[in-house]
Amino acid sequence: MRPMIQIKNVSKSFPSKAGKVDALQNISIDMEQGDIFGIIGMSGAGKSTLVRCINFLERPTEGTVLIDGKDLQTISNKELRKTRQEIAMIFQHFNLLMQRTVIDNICFPLEIAGVRKKKARERAKELLKIVGLEHKENAYPAQLSGGQKQRVAIARAIANNPKILLCDEATSALDPETTNAILNLLKDINKRFGITIVVITHEMKVIQKICNKVAILSGGTLAETGLVKDIFTEPKTEEAKRLVYQGTETTAYMRGKHFVRIVFNEQSSFEPVISNMILSFQTPINIMGADTHNIGGKAIGEMILQLPEEKEIADKMIAYLINRKLAVEEVDIHV
Ligand SMILES: Nc1ncnc2c1ncn2[C@@H]1O[C@H](COP(=O)(O)OP(=O)(O)O)[C@@H](O)[C@H]1O
Ligand SMILES: [Mg+2]
Protein backbone atom coordinates (compact mmCIF):
# COMPACT_ATOMS: atom_id res chain seq x y z
CA MET A 1 0.00 0.00 0.00
CA ARG A 2 1.37 3.42 -0.84
CA PRO A 3 1.71 5.75 2.13
CA MET A 4 -0.84 8.53 2.65
CA ILE A 5 1.99 10.88 3.61
CA GLN A 6 5.51 10.27 2.44
CA ILE A 7 8.16 12.66 3.72
CA LYS A 8 11.26 12.07 1.63
CA ASN A 9 14.67 13.37 2.66
CA VAL A 10 13.21 16.67 3.74
CA SER A 11 15.57 19.40 4.92
CA LYS A 12 14.54 22.92 5.73
CA SER A 13 16.77 25.81 6.63
CA PHE A 14 15.88 29.38 7.39
CA PRO A 15 18.19 32.30 6.77
CA SER A 16 18.99 34.30 9.89
CA LYS A 17 21.36 37.06 10.91
CA ALA A 18 23.61 34.62 12.72
CA GLY A 19 23.82 32.33 9.67
CA LYS A 20 21.27 29.80 8.57
CA VAL A 21 19.12 27.75 10.95
CA ASP A 22 18.80 24.10 10.01
CA ALA A 23 15.28 23.43 11.28
CA LEU A 24 15.03 20.00 9.61
CA GLN A 25 17.79 17.75 8.39
CA ASN A 26 17.11 14.89 6.01
CA ILE A 27 13.85 13.65 7.48
CA SER A 28 12.14 10.63 5.93
CA ILE A 29 8.89 9.28 7.35
CA ASP A 30 6.03 7.24 5.87
CA MET A 31 2.54 7.53 7.30
CA GLU A 32 -0.17 5.09 6.22
CA GLN A 33 -3.83 5.83 5.67
CA GLY A 34 -5.60 5.53 9.03
CA ASP A 35 -2.49 6.09 11.14
CA ILE A 36 -2.58 8.37 14.13
CA PHE A 37 1.03 9.39 13.79
CA GLY A 38 2.70 11.28 16.61
CA ILE A 39 5.59 13.68 16.17
CA ILE A 40 7.25 14.46 19.45
CA GLY A 41 10.25 16.50 20.49
CA MET A 42 11.32 19.40 22.64
CA SER A 43 10.55 22.99 21.83
CA GLY A 44 12.57 24.03 18.77
CA ALA A 45 13.03 20.43 17.58
CA GLY A 46 11.40 21.25 14.25
CA LYS A 47 7.91 19.76 14.78
CA SER A 48 5.89 22.71 13.51
CA THR A 49 8.22 23.19 10.56
CA LEU A 50 7.80 19.53 9.64
CA VAL A 51 4.03 19.66 9.88
CA ARG A 52 3.99 22.80 7.74
CA CYS A 53 6.08 20.97 5.16
CA ILE A 54 3.36 18.30 4.96
CA ASN A 55 0.99 20.77 3.31
CA PHE A 56 3.77 22.82 1.72
CA LEU A 57 2.92 25.90 3.76
CA GLU A 58 6.66 25.64 4.16
CA ARG A 59 8.55 24.46 1.09
CA PRO A 60 11.38 22.10 1.95
CA THR A 61 14.84 23.36 1.06
CA GLU A 62 15.62 19.83 -0.03
CA GLY A 63 13.58 16.68 -0.47
CA THR A 64 9.88 16.43 -1.08
CA VAL A 65 6.53 15.30 0.29
CA LEU A 66 4.08 12.97 -1.43
CA ILE A 67 0.42 13.06 -0.42
CA ASP A 68 -1.43 9.93 -1.45
CA GLY A 69 1.24 9.43 -4.12
CA LYS A 70 1.21 13.03 -5.41
CA ASP A 71 4.56 14.79 -5.30
CA LEU A 72 3.90 18.31 -3.99
CA GLN A 73 7.19 19.51 -5.48
CA THR A 74 6.20 18.73 -9.07
CA ILE A 75 2.41 19.09 -9.27
CA SER A 76 0.85 22.27 -10.69
CA ASN A 77 -0.23 25.11 -8.41
CA LYS A 78 -3.83 24.26 -9.15
CA GLU A 79 -3.31 20.67 -8.09
CA LEU A 80 -1.38 21.81 -5.02
CA ARG A 81 -4.36 23.94 -3.97
CA LYS A 82 -6.65 20.95 -4.48
CA THR A 83 -4.39 18.68 -2.46
CA ARG A 84 -4.20 21.23 0.33
CA GLN A 85 -7.99 21.11 0.64
CA GLU A 86 -7.60 17.47 1.58
CA ILE A 87 -5.31 18.44 4.46
CA ALA A 88 -6.93 20.15 7.43
CA MET A 89 -5.19 21.59 10.43
CA ILE A 90 -5.93 22.50 14.04
CA PHE A 91 -3.78 24.52 16.41
CA GLN A 92 -2.98 25.14 20.05
CA HIS A 93 -4.92 28.42 20.14
CA PHE A 94 -7.89 27.22 18.06
CA ASN A 95 -7.80 30.13 15.56
CA LEU A 96 -11.58 30.59 15.46
CA LEU A 97 -13.23 33.62 13.92
CA MET A 98 -14.27 35.57 16.98
CA GLN A 99 -16.96 37.65 15.23
CA ARG A 100 -18.78 34.58 13.98
CA THR A 101 -21.02 32.20 15.88
CA VAL A 102 -20.07 28.56 16.30
CA ILE A 103 -22.20 27.44 13.39
CA ASP A 104 -20.93 30.24 11.16
CA ASN A 105 -17.35 29.27 11.99
CA ILE A 106 -18.10 25.75 10.79
CA CYS A 107 -19.94 26.97 7.70
CA PHE A 108 -16.98 29.15 6.70
CA PRO A 109 -14.84 26.51 4.94
CA LEU A 110 -17.96 25.02 3.38
CA GLU A 111 -18.94 28.39 1.89
CA ILE A 112 -15.41 28.84 0.57
CA ALA A 113 -15.70 25.44 -1.07
CA GLY A 114 -18.89 26.65 -2.78
CA VAL A 115 -21.47 24.76 -0.74
CA ARG A 116 -24.89 26.46 -0.75
CA LYS A 117 -25.86 28.17 2.47
CA LYS A 118 -28.72 25.80 3.35
CA LYS A 119 -26.64 22.71 2.64
CA ALA A 120 -23.71 24.17 4.57
CA ARG A 121 -25.88 24.71 7.64
CA GLU A 122 -27.19 21.18 7.45
CA ARG A 123 -23.66 19.83 7.26
CA ALA A 124 -22.55 22.13 10.09
CA LYS A 125 -25.31 20.79 12.33
CA GLU A 126 -24.24 17.25 11.56
CA LEU A 127 -20.67 18.20 12.48
CA LEU A 128 -21.82 19.84 15.72
CA LYS A 129 -23.39 16.53 16.68
CA ILE A 130 -20.18 14.66 15.90
CA VAL A 131 -18.17 16.92 18.21
CA GLY A 132 -20.91 17.04 20.87
CA LEU A 133 -21.78 20.74 20.65
CA GLU A 134 -25.34 20.76 19.27
CA HIS A 135 -26.41 23.07 22.08
CA LYS A 136 -23.79 25.75 21.26
CA GLU A 137 -24.77 26.45 17.68
CA ASN A 138 -25.40 30.16 18.24
CA ALA A 139 -22.74 30.87 20.85
CA TYR A 140 -19.70 32.99 20.09
CA PRO A 141 -16.20 31.59 20.64
CA ALA A 142 -15.66 33.94 23.60
CA GLN A 143 -18.51 32.16 25.39
CA LEU A 144 -16.87 28.75 25.11
CA SER A 145 -14.31 26.88 27.20
CA GLY A 146 -10.98 25.88 25.67
CA GLY A 147 -12.16 22.33 25.09
CA GLN A 148 -15.34 23.55 23.40
CA LYS A 149 -13.35 25.91 21.18
CA GLN A 150 -11.15 23.06 20.07
CA ARG A 151 -14.27 21.00 19.30
CA VAL A 152 -15.50 23.79 17.03
CA ALA A 153 -12.07 23.92 15.39
CA ILE A 154 -12.19 20.17 14.81
CA ALA A 155 -15.69 20.36 13.33
CA ARG A 156 -14.53 23.15 11.03
CA ALA A 157 -11.40 21.22 10.07
CA ILE A 158 -13.24 18.07 9.02
CA ALA A 159 -16.15 19.90 7.34
CA ASN A 160 -14.89 19.24 3.81
CA ASN A 161 -13.99 15.58 4.48
CA PRO A 162 -10.21 15.90 4.46
CA LYS A 163 -8.01 12.84 4.10
CA ILE A 164 -5.53 14.20 6.62
CA LEU A 165 -5.86 16.17 9.84
CA LEU A 166 -2.73 17.88 11.17
CA CYS A 167 -2.85 18.78 14.87
CA ASP A 168 -0.10 21.13 16.04
CA GLU A 169 -0.05 21.05 19.86
CA ALA A 170 -3.86 20.89 19.76
CA THR A 171 -4.17 19.96 23.43
CA SER A 172 -1.24 21.96 24.83
CA ALA A 173 -3.47 24.76 26.12
CA LEU A 174 -5.94 22.37 27.76
CA ASP A 175 -6.09 20.80 31.22
CA PRO A 176 -5.51 17.03 31.50
CA GLU A 177 -9.19 16.09 31.62
CA THR A 178 -10.12 18.21 28.62
CA THR A 179 -7.02 16.91 26.83
CA ASN A 180 -8.30 13.38 27.29
CA ALA A 181 -11.74 14.27 25.96
CA ILE A 182 -10.27 15.95 22.87
CA LEU A 183 -7.91 13.02 22.24
CA ASN A 184 -10.88 10.64 22.48
CA LEU A 185 -12.73 12.76 19.95
CA LEU A 186 -9.77 12.68 17.56
CA LYS A 187 -9.55 8.92 17.91
CA ASP A 188 -13.27 8.60 17.24
CA ILE A 189 -12.96 10.73 14.10
CA ASN A 190 -10.00 8.65 12.93
CA LYS A 191 -12.02 5.45 13.35
CA ARG A 192 -15.30 6.67 11.91
CA PHE A 193 -13.98 8.49 8.90
CA GLY A 194 -10.60 6.85 8.33
CA ILE A 195 -8.86 10.22 8.45
CA THR A 196 -5.10 9.99 8.84
CA ILE A 197 -4.13 12.12 11.82
CA VAL A 198 -0.75 13.68 12.56
CA VAL A 199 -0.37 14.69 16.19
CA ILE A 200 2.39 17.13 17.11
CA THR A 201 3.13 17.28 20.81
CA HIS A 202 5.87 17.61 23.38
CA GLU A 203 4.06 15.25 25.76
CA MET A 204 4.64 11.50 25.71
CA LYS A 205 1.29 10.84 27.34
CA VAL A 206 -0.52 12.28 24.35
CA ILE A 207 1.41 9.92 22.10
CA GLN A 208 0.69 6.97 24.37
CA LYS A 209 -2.99 7.71 24.49
CA ILE A 210 -3.88 7.85 20.81
CA CYS A 211 -0.96 7.28 18.45
CA ASN A 212 -0.07 3.96 16.85
CA LYS A 213 3.22 5.27 15.46
CA VAL A 214 5.62 7.96 16.50
CA ALA A 215 8.61 9.90 15.21
CA ILE A 216 10.96 11.55 17.67
CA LEU A 217 12.60 14.76 16.52
CA SER A 218 15.67 16.15 18.14
CA GLY A 219 17.43 19.29 16.95
CA GLY A 220 15.93 18.97 13.49
CA THR A 221 16.93 15.35 13.03
CA LEU A 222 14.87 12.18 13.24
CA ALA A 223 16.11 10.40 16.37
CA GLU A 224 13.86 7.38 16.24
CA THR A 225 10.63 6.25 14.61
CA GLY A 226 8.41 3.20 14.85
CA LEU A 227 5.40 1.71 16.57
CA VAL A 228 4.54 3.44 19.85
CA LYS A 229 4.37 0.14 21.67
CA ASP A 230 7.90 -0.80 20.52
CA ILE A 231 9.46 2.53 21.39
CA PHE A 232 7.69 2.62 24.71
CA THR A 233 8.87 -0.89 25.58
CA GLU A 234 12.40 -0.50 24.29
CA PRO A 235 13.48 3.05 23.61
CA LYS A 236 16.84 2.89 21.84
CA THR A 237 18.12 6.42 21.56
CA GLU A 238 18.85 8.82 24.40
CA GLU A 239 16.14 11.14 23.11
CA ALA A 240 13.54 8.36 23.13
CA LYS A 241 14.56 7.26 26.62
CA ARG A 242 14.28 10.77 27.94
CA LEU A 243 10.77 11.13 26.54
CA VAL A 244 9.59 7.73 27.71
CA TYR A 245 10.85 8.33 31.22
CA GLN A 246 9.31 11.79 31.21
CA GLY A 247 6.01 10.01 31.87
CA THR A 248 7.43 8.26 34.90
CA GLU A 249 6.69 10.02 38.12
CA THR A 250 9.63 8.33 39.78
CA THR A 251 12.18 10.08 37.60
CA ALA A 252 13.22 12.33 40.44
CA TYR A 253 14.32 9.37 42.53
CA MET A 254 16.35 7.72 39.85
CA ARG A 255 19.78 8.65 41.07
CA GLY A 256 22.50 6.22 41.88
CA LYS A 257 23.02 2.63 40.93
CA HIS A 258 21.05 -0.49 40.30
CA PHE A 259 17.83 1.01 39.19
CA VAL A 260 16.06 -0.94 36.52
CA ARG A 261 12.97 -0.19 34.53
CA ILE A 262 10.91 -3.19 33.55
CA VAL A 263 8.07 -3.18 31.08
CA PHE A 264 5.40 -5.82 30.83
CA ASN A 265 2.29 -6.28 28.77
CA GLU A 266 -0.99 -8.04 29.41
CA GLN A 267 0.48 -11.43 28.69
CA SER A 268 3.25 -11.38 31.20
CA SER A 269 1.75 -11.50 34.61
CA PHE A 270 4.03 -9.34 36.53
CA GLU A 271 3.47 -9.44 40.26
CA PRO A 272 4.21 -13.16 40.63
CA VAL A 273 7.51 -12.61 38.81
CA ILE A 274 8.63 -9.96 41.28
CA SER A 275 7.51 -11.84 44.37
CA ASN A 276 9.05 -15.10 43.12
CA MET A 277 12.27 -13.27 42.45
CA ILE A 278 12.36 -11.88 45.99
CA LEU A 279 11.62 -15.36 47.33
CA SER A 280 14.24 -17.15 45.31
CA PHE A 281 16.99 -14.60 46.03
CA GLN A 282 15.93 -14.10 49.64
CA THR A 283 16.84 -10.46 49.16
CA PRO A 284 14.48 -7.49 49.31
CA ILE A 285 14.26 -4.93 46.56
CA ASN A 286 12.73 -1.47 46.47
CA ILE A 287 9.81 -0.81 44.22
CA MET A 288 10.29 2.85 43.35
CA GLY A 289 7.19 3.26 41.29
CA ALA A 290 4.78 1.57 38.97
CA ASP A 291 2.48 2.80 36.32
CA THR A 292 0.21 1.39 33.69
CA HIS A 293 -0.32 3.01 30.34
CA ASN A 294 -2.95 2.31 27.81
CA ILE A 295 -1.12 2.11 24.51
CA GLY A 296 -3.33 1.52 21.51
CA GLY A 297 -5.95 -0.09 23.74
CA LYS A 298 -3.43 -2.44 25.34
CA ALA A 299 -2.42 -2.18 28.95
CA ILE A 300 1.35 -1.88 29.25
CA GLY A 301 2.88 -1.55 32.67
CA GLU A 302 6.20 -0.26 33.79
CA MET A 303 7.93 -0.51 37.11
CA ILE A 304 11.08 1.01 38.46
CA LEU A 305 12.97 -1.26 40.87
CA GLN A 306 16.02 -0.63 42.93
CA LEU A 307 18.03 -3.82 43.11
CA PRO A 308 20.37 -4.74 45.98
CA GLU A 309 23.72 -2.98 46.22
CA GLU A 310 25.75 -6.15 45.69
CA LYS A 311 26.48 -6.14 41.99
CA GLU A 312 26.50 -9.92 41.74
CA ILE A 313 22.97 -10.30 43.05
CA ALA A 314 21.73 -7.34 41.04
CA ASP A 315 23.13 -8.83 37.85
CA LYS A 316 21.53 -12.18 38.60
CA MET A 317 18.20 -10.50 39.21
CA ILE A 318 18.43 -8.72 35.87
CA ALA A 319 19.14 -12.05 34.20
CA TYR A 320 16.18 -13.56 36.07
CA LEU A 321 13.82 -10.86 34.82
CA ILE A 322 15.08 -11.09 31.25
CA ASN A 323 14.54 -14.84 31.43
CA ARG A 324 10.92 -14.17 32.37
CA LYS A 325 10.55 -12.25 29.09
CA LEU A 326 10.30 -8.83 30.64
CA ALA A 327 11.94 -5.90 28.93
CA VAL A 328 14.57 -4.81 31.43
CA GLU A 329 16.82 -1.84 31.28
CA GLU A 330 19.21 -0.34 33.77
CA VAL A 331 18.46 3.31 34.23
CA ASP A 332 20.63 5.93 35.74
CA ILE A 333 19.05 9.27 35.20
CA HIS A 334 20.22 12.47 36.78
CA VAL A 335 17.66 15.17 37.01
N1 LIG B 1 10.15 31.19 9.80
C1 LIG B 1 11.26 30.91 10.49
N2 LIG B 1 12.37 31.68 10.34
C2 LIG B 1 13.50 31.39 11.02
N3 LIG B 1 13.66 30.35 11.85
C3 LIG B 1 12.59 29.56 12.04
C4 LIG B 1 11.34 29.78 11.36
N4 LIG B 1 10.47 28.81 11.75
C5 LIG B 1 11.14 28.04 12.60
N5 LIG B 1 12.41 28.46 12.77
C6 LIG B 1 13.44 27.83 13.63
O1 LIG B 1 13.46 26.45 13.32
C7 LIG B 1 13.62 25.66 14.48
C8 LIG B 1 12.45 24.72 14.65
O2 LIG B 1 11.27 25.45 14.95
P1 LIG B 1 9.84 24.79 15.09
O3 LIG B 1 9.58 23.95 13.89
O4 LIG B 1 8.86 25.85 15.38
O5 LIG B 1 10.04 23.84 16.36
P2 LIG B 1 8.97 23.18 17.34
O6 LIG B 1 7.63 23.27 16.70
O7 LIG B 1 9.45 21.76 17.51
O8 LIG B 1 9.05 23.93 18.64
C9 LIG B 1 13.78 26.66 15.62
O9 LIG B 1 15.14 26.87 15.85
C10 LIG B 1 13.11 27.91 15.08
O10 LIG B 1 13.64 29.04 15.70
MG1 LIG C 1 5.84 24.12 17.36
Side-chain angles (χ1 to χ4, degrees):
M1 205 168 70
R2 78 172 171 225
M4 176 57 80
I5 302 170
Q6 195 170 15
I7 298 166
K8 277 173 82 172
N9 305 105
V10 164
S11 297
K12 175 76 191 179
S13 48
F14 295 104
S16 87
K17 275 187 201 140
K20 74 179 167 73
V21 179
D22 293 318
L24 297 172
Q25 296 170 56
N26 197 26
I27 307 285
S28 296
I29 306 171
D30 285 358
M31 306 181 190
E32 309 291 332
Q33 194 268 323
D35 274 345
I36 303 186
F37 205 111
I39 295 173
I40 188 167
M42 288 197 288
S43 175
K47 306 181 295 296
S48 293
T49 305
L50 183 61
V51 84
R52 289 162 63 80
C53 282
I54 291 177
N55 55 14
F56 259 45
L57 279 177
E58 214 65 91
R59 274 183 188 261
T61 316
E62 278 172 64
T64 190
V65 174
L66 283 77
I67 300 295
D68 206 4
K70 263 184 268 170
D71 186 340
L72 302 189
Q73 192 72 55
T74 56
I75 58 177
S76 66
N77 279 339
K78 191 177 161 208
E79 254 190 297
L80 179 59
R81 274 197 302 276
K82 209 177 121 219
T83 305
R84 277 201 185 123
Q85 283 168 5
E86 296 171 347
I87 310 175
M89 196 161 176
I90 58 171
F91 307 89
Q92 179 171 5
H93 297 297
F94 325 120
N95 299 10
L96 298 177
L97 301 166
M98 300 308 276
Q99 312 302 328
R100 283 181 164 231
T101 60
V102 163
I103 193 153
D104 288 341
N105 263 279
I106 300 172
C107 284
F108 190 62
L110 292 162
E111 287 162 19
I112 289 175
V115 179
R116 289 263 175 82
K117 190 151 187 173
K118 186 160 168 278
K119 269 254 176 310
R121 285 186 81 81
E122 277 169 25
R123 171 78 177 137
K125 285 189 181 185
E126 196 182 298
L127 288 156
L128 279 171
K129 229 180 248 155
I130 292 169
V131 302
L133 278 186
E134 302 97 306
H135 56 298
K136 292 290 182 189
E137 180 178 322
N138 295 313
Y140 284 88
Q143 299 169 308
L144 303 179
S145 69
Q148 289 171 333
K149 283 182 202 157
Q150 197 58 294
R151 284 173 191 272
V152 177
I154 290 169
R156 186 179 61 177
I158 64 170
N160 284 315
N161 300 307
K163 291 182 185 163
I164 297 167
L165 177 60
L166 307 175
C167 312
D168 192 351
E169 303 274 6
T171 58
S172 297
L174 305 175
D175 61 66
E177 216 170 295
T178 312
T179 291
N180 265 337
I182 294 295
L183 294 178
N184 284 335
L185 175 62
L186 290 175
K187 184 146 205 175
D188 179 51
I189 283 167
N190 163 264
K191 273 217 181 106
R192 277 171 77 176
F193 308 114
I195 300 179
T196 306
I197 299 184
V198 182
V199 174
I200 303 280
T201 181
H202 60 278
E203 291 179 295
M204 194 62 187
K205 63 176 193 296
V206 169
I207 302 283
Q208 284 168 5
K209 180 149 171 83
I210 60 163
C211 299
N212 60 325
K213 294 179 197 157
V214 64
I216 298 170
L217 287 190
S218 170
T221 64
L222 180 63
E224 199 166 335
T225 184
L227 295 173
V228 173
K229 66 175 168 46
D230 290 346
I231 288 185
F232 185 80
T233 313
E234 256 183 285
K236 292 192 176 65
T237 58
E238 280 310 308
E239 195 60 26
K241 287 176 189 176
R242 205 186 55 73
L243 287 163
V244 168
Y245 303 149
Q246 162 196 308
T248 310
E249 278 167 21
T250 48
T251 307
Y253 302 111
M254 295 201 293
R255 288 190 189 147
K257 296 282 179 216
H258 295 161
F259 290 106
V260 292
R261 173 178 179 268
I262 59 177
V263 179
F264 52 97
N265 56 33
E266 299 174 298
Q267 281 95 44
S268 53
S269 167
F270 143 89
E271 273 178 33
V273 176
I274 301 298
S275 40
N276 284 335
M277 181 173 85
I278 294 170
L279 282 175
S280 57
F281 285 88
Q282 294 290 313
T283 310
I285 57 168
N286 287 328
I287 294 173
M288 306 303 294
D291 214 347
T292 17
H293 305 268
N294 189 316
I295 295 180
K298 260 177 75 176
I300 292 190
E302 70 176 324
M303 193 176 249
I304 310 287
L305 305 175
Q306 186 178 29
L307 303 180
E309 283 202 22
E310 299 91 301
K311 188 171 183 326
E312 215 189 306
I313 301 179
D315 285 346
K316 281 186 181 154
M317 284 183 164
I318 291 170
Y320 181 98
L321 293 168
I322 290 171
N323 261 329
R324 272 33 174 213
K325 305 266 180 276
L326 292 166
V328 184
E329 191 190 11
E330 284 194 77
V331 288
D332 184 16
I333 293 181
H334 300 271
V335 287

